[in-house]
Amino acid sequence: MDLDAVVDELYGLRPEEFVAARDRRVRDAREAGDQALAKEIGALRRPSLAAWVSNLLVRRQPEEVQPLLGLGEELRRAHRELNGSQLRRLARRQNEVIGALVRQARRLAAQAGHPVGEGVQREVEGTLHAALADPEAAREWAAGRLVKPLSSMIGFPAADGSLLGRRPAPEPKAPARGGGREEEEDEGRQEDKAREEAARKEDEAKAREAEEQRRRVAEAREAERDLRAREEEADSAARAVEEAGARLADVEERVRELRERLRDAEQEQQRARAAERDARDRERQAGRAVREARRRAEKAAARLERSATGAGPRD
């Protein structure tokens, strides 16, 4: 028995079967003398319902894993390259694929005896979106051993501003023929200048908006990292609680066994005391019988001696 095999077995079970099966494996490891493995197994946490549904989808429909991973790679590449037409095409495909997978997941969960509601469905969708956006999340999902649903970062990585094309400069207006040429040229220059100023302001506004968007994305990512750190702390605390509970259950089992052994020993002690009393009673009875027999023997000897003395030879 090794940890990887046990983990694969446990996370393939229904949530309500997890704890009992885990505790059995802990006992098996202890009986085999592998305390380190028993501790590692005891630290495994039961998956949430949404995590179990996500695992169920991977395990029951393994042929769906690679297409989603490939779609995630294409989406990330299109975002890096700012390929608008490709992004639009992939976005439509993303919606179709995730919608189909979520429907399959709900069907599988219902068949396994756990119909899921809208809340769990949203968590499963979030897990699939995370697998598309983050390669590490994709690997975790594809392993089919999730403990909790995955949460995706807010959007895909922001594009480098240097890759954004600038607005082309307006084409100069063709000079008009005939009278008032200088006035028309002056008006044309003013219009060009106004258009350039408007374009500059629009570019500045877009640049500010892009910077604000990058700031919001950075804040969202920082909040996501902080959330993951807090979740890891909570998970660690939960694992400590489960481990302490497992130790308590083990100690209570040992106490129960010792109490049973103590009761058996006390009953044996009572039987031994009773046997001792019986033996002492027999000893006293035997002593009285010996003394009585001795008195009778002494009396018989005395009578014999007197009889012998009285019946001796006469002069």
Side-chain angles (χ1 to χ4, degrees):
M1 181 172 60
D2 61 82
L3 181 62
D4 188 69
V6 172
V7 170
D8 194 61
E9 171 196 354
L10 293 180
Y11 286 100
L13 301 175
R14 296 193 299 177
E16 66 271 20
E17 300 171 338
F18 183 90
V19 173
R22 179 196 61 191
D23 293 347
R24 284 196 302 272
R25 289 306 186 187
V26 169
R27 288 194 296 271
D28 292 343
R30 286 176 179 159
E31 290 174 359
D34 195 336
Q35 298 300 321
L37 178 59
K39 184 177 181 179
E40 288 179 310
I41 296 174
L44 297 175
R45 292 189 59 199
R46 183 177 66 179
S48 70
L49 184 56
W52 172 75
V53 173
S54 299
N55 294 338
L56 186 67
L57 176 63
V58 170
R59 291 167 177 266
R60 297 286 181 84
Q61 302 286 347
E63 69 277 3
E64 302 291 350
V65 173
Q66 193 55 47
L68 188 75
L69 300 184
L71 176 59
E73 292 176 0
E74 291 184 65
L75 276 166
R76 292 191 294 273
R77 185 183 310 111
H79 272 272
R80 288 193 301 269
E81 297 173 354
L82 294 176
N83 190 328
S85 61
Q86 184 78 340
L87 280 173
R88 287 189 293 273
R89 182 184 67 81
L90 291 174
R92 289 193 296 271
R93 183 179 164 201
Q94 170 185 344
N95 293 333
E96 294 171 357
V97 169
I98 288 184
L101 289 178
V102 169
R103 288 191 294 273
Q104 289 184 44
R106 294 191 67 169
R107 176 178 55 80
L108 291 171
Q111 290 175 351
H114 279 284
V116 298
E118 295 298 324
V120 171
Q121 176 178 321
R122 284 193 295 271
E123 290 182 318
V124 173
E125 288 177 354
T127 295
L128 296 174
H129 280 292
L132 287 175
D134 184 358
E136 180 60 30
R139 285 189 288 271
E140 291 182 32
W141 171 74
R145 300 176 178 182
L146 295 179
V147 175
K148 59 184 179 181
L150 300 173
S151 57
S152 62
M153 302 292 282
I154 306 300
F156 281 85
D160 189 340
S162 64
L163 298 177
L164 298 175
R166 292 190 174 274
R167 176 187 296 273
E171 296 181 0
K173 185 176 180 180
R177 296 183 179 180
R181 179 176 181 181
E182 292 182 358
E183 292 180 0
E184 291 180 356
E185 289 180 350
D186 184 58
E187 290 178 0
R189 284 193 295 271
Q190 290 179 1
E191 290 177 0
D192 290 344
K193 184 176 181 181
R195 284 195 296 268
E196 290 176 358
E197 180 65 16
R200 183 184 63 80
K201 289 182 178 179
E202 185 178 352
D203 286 343
E204 289 178 352
K206 287 186 176 181
R208 286 193 299 271
E209 177 61 26
E211 180 61 29
E212 179 64 18
Q213 178 65 16
R214 285 193 290 272
R215 184 186 64 79
R216 288 194 293 266
V217 169
E219 289 178 354
R221 289 178 175 174
E222 179 62 29
E224 181 73 16
R225 285 192 291 269
D226 184 65
L227 172 62
R228 289 184 176 179
R230 297 297 176 267
E231 287 177 340
E232 288 177 0
E233 291 176 2
D235 289 346
S236 177
R239 285 194 297 271
V241 169
E242 289 194 0
E243 185 177 343
R247 288 200 302 270
L248 176 60
D250 183 59
V251 170
E252 288 178 342
E253 177 65 19
R254 291 170 58 192
V255 168
R256 185 187 62 78
E257 293 176 354
L258 290 172
R259 283 175 176 167
E260 290 181 355
R261 292 172 59 186
L262 176 61
R263 284 195 297 270
D264 292 343
E266 287 175 341
Q267 291 173 359
E268 184 65 25
Q269 182 186 44
Q270 292 174 358
R271 289 193 292 270
R273 284 177 176 174
E276 182 191 29
R277 287 194 298 271
D278 292 343
R280 289 184 182 277
D281 289 342
R282 290 195 299 273
E283 181 187 30
R284 284 193 294 270
Q285 292 174 2
R288 285 194 296 271
V290 167
R291 289 192 296 273
E292 181 64 26
R294 183 177 293 115
R295 284 195 297 271
R296 288 197 301 271
E298 289 175 351
K299 288 180 180 179
R303 286 195 299 270
L304 178 61
E305 184 179 351
R306 287 195 298 272
S307 174
T309 301
R314 297 175 179 266
D315 291 335

